[in-house]
Amino acid sequence: APGVDMTPSKLAKAAKDALNGTATTVKVLSASEIKKEKMGLLEAVGKGASDKPRLIIMEYWGAGKPTAGAKKQAPIALIGKGMTFDSGGLNVKPAGAMHDMHLDMSGGAAMIGAMRAIAKLGLKQNVVAVVPAAENSISAESMRAGDIATAMNGTTVEIIHTDAEGRLVLADAMTYAEKHYQPRVMLDAATLTGAALVALGQHASAVMTKDQSLEDTLIALGEETGDLTWPLPLWDEYKQHLKSSRADIT
């Protein structure tokens, strides 16, 4: 749907509608609740829009809700980027690159659809999904290049470019999933960067993980389903690009 018809609050409602009548429960955190959880990155990304950010949380306990210390019942966590429209923020995108940016919620939409499919199939698995929903808009309230925001886990982050918003909202969503669910594996999906298209074209999604077994599994499943994936490196040499003289990371 166009960005005007699918804002963060409307995406939250769409998630509830999609999962209505299934065994999946849906909870939505408002902007004030996001602030209370100290999710400063999600808050920073969405504060320039009139429709403020939401955090959509979906729970499915197909194997029974885990008891304390029951690692076998620990859920799989699915994290999906839910940017309902991405103007680029104050580092505005070129006009020709903005037209399709209502698609920047594709990762979040995929996870909502996955949760619906899991519930409809009645899988004997515990799965939770967290979708950070926001609009990266331009206003007097927007985050600025050079701002420093504090993540939910306490890490301070220097904003160098406001169009790098996806990794910010995903970081807080991952921390939320880790804090509240202690998942046995976490998978995130996002329209994160056009660099993946440069590397792989439109034939495959990029996989980035340091877990070799998980990488192999995702590649094999991609071959099986026709939804191809291919690995890109996560070398320690890249860490130098995250250095900041003003915050923990940039």
Side-chain angles (χ1 to χ4, degrees), residues 23 59-65 73 118 122-127:
E59 299 179 0
Y60 174 80
W61 305 108
K65 205 161 186 179
Q73 287 179 295
I118 287 164
L123 298 186
K124 303 297 184 188
Q125 292 279 353
N126 289 336
V127 189

Side-chain angles (χ1 to χ4, degrees), residues 30-244:
S30 65
S32 60
E33 289 169 317
I34 288 167
K35 190 179 187 73
K36 192 175 179 182
E37 284 278 1
K38 299 183 178 177
M39 304 177 80
L41 304 185
L42 176 55
E43 189 182 2
V45 169
K47 68 183 183 178
S50 56
D51 193 326
K52 300 303 180 191
R54 302 290 193 279
L55 190 74
I56 306 164
I57 304 129
M58 295 157 275
E59 299 179 0
Y60 174 80
W61 305 108
K65 205 161 186 179
T67 52
K71 287 188 177 178
K72 281 187 178 178
Q73 287 179 295
I76 297 166
L78 306 176
I79 317 293
K81 177 182 171 183
M83 298 303 302
T84 58
F85 190 80
D86 182 16
S87 68
L90 293 180
N91 291 119
V92 63
K93 291 178 182 288
M98 210 188 298
H99 175 255
D100 284 338
M101 285 301 110
H102 62 292
L103 300 173
D104 212 18
M105 50 161 275
S106 296
M111 295 316 191
I112 294 166
M115 292 301 287
R116 178 177 165 84
I118 287 164
K120 290 282 188 181
L121 290 166
L123 298 186
K124 303 297 184 188
Q125 292 279 353
N126 289 336
V127 189
V128 298
V130 182
V131 175
E135 180 177 340
N136 191 15
S137 193
I138 298 170
S139 74
E141 304 300 317
S142 298
M143 64 175 173
R144 306 160 189 83
D147 281 359
I148 294 174
T150 303
M152 185 181 178
N153 69 357
T155 301
T156 56
V157 181
E158 181 182 5
I159 311 296
I160 296 295
H161 197 293
T162 62
D163 197 23
E165 85 299 326
R167 62 211 69 186
L168 298 176
V169 300
L170 287 169
D172 271 351
M174 288 175 173
T175 302
Y176 184 92
E178 182 64 39
K179 176 184 174 182
H180 293 283
Y181 299 104
Q182 297 83 51
R184 59 189 171 91
V185 65
M186 199 179 309
L187 302 169
D188 75 276
T191 46
L192 205 58
T193 172
L197 288 172
V198 174
L200 301 173
Q202 296 191 15
H203 306 286
S205 299
V207 173
M208 300 183 80
T209 178
K210 287 200 159 188
D211 185 325
Q212 189 62 55
S213 174
L214 180 60
E215 179 183 292
D216 293 344
T217 299
L218 292 173
I219 292 170
L221 290 172
E223 290 281 354
E224 218 174 279
T225 60
D227 195 357
L228 300 177
T229 61
W230 195 253
L232 293 180
L234 269 181
W235 292 318
D236 286 344
E237 283 78 0
Y238 293 153
K239 287 181 179 176
Q240 62 180 306
H241 301 296
L242 299 179
K243 288 179 181 174
S244 169

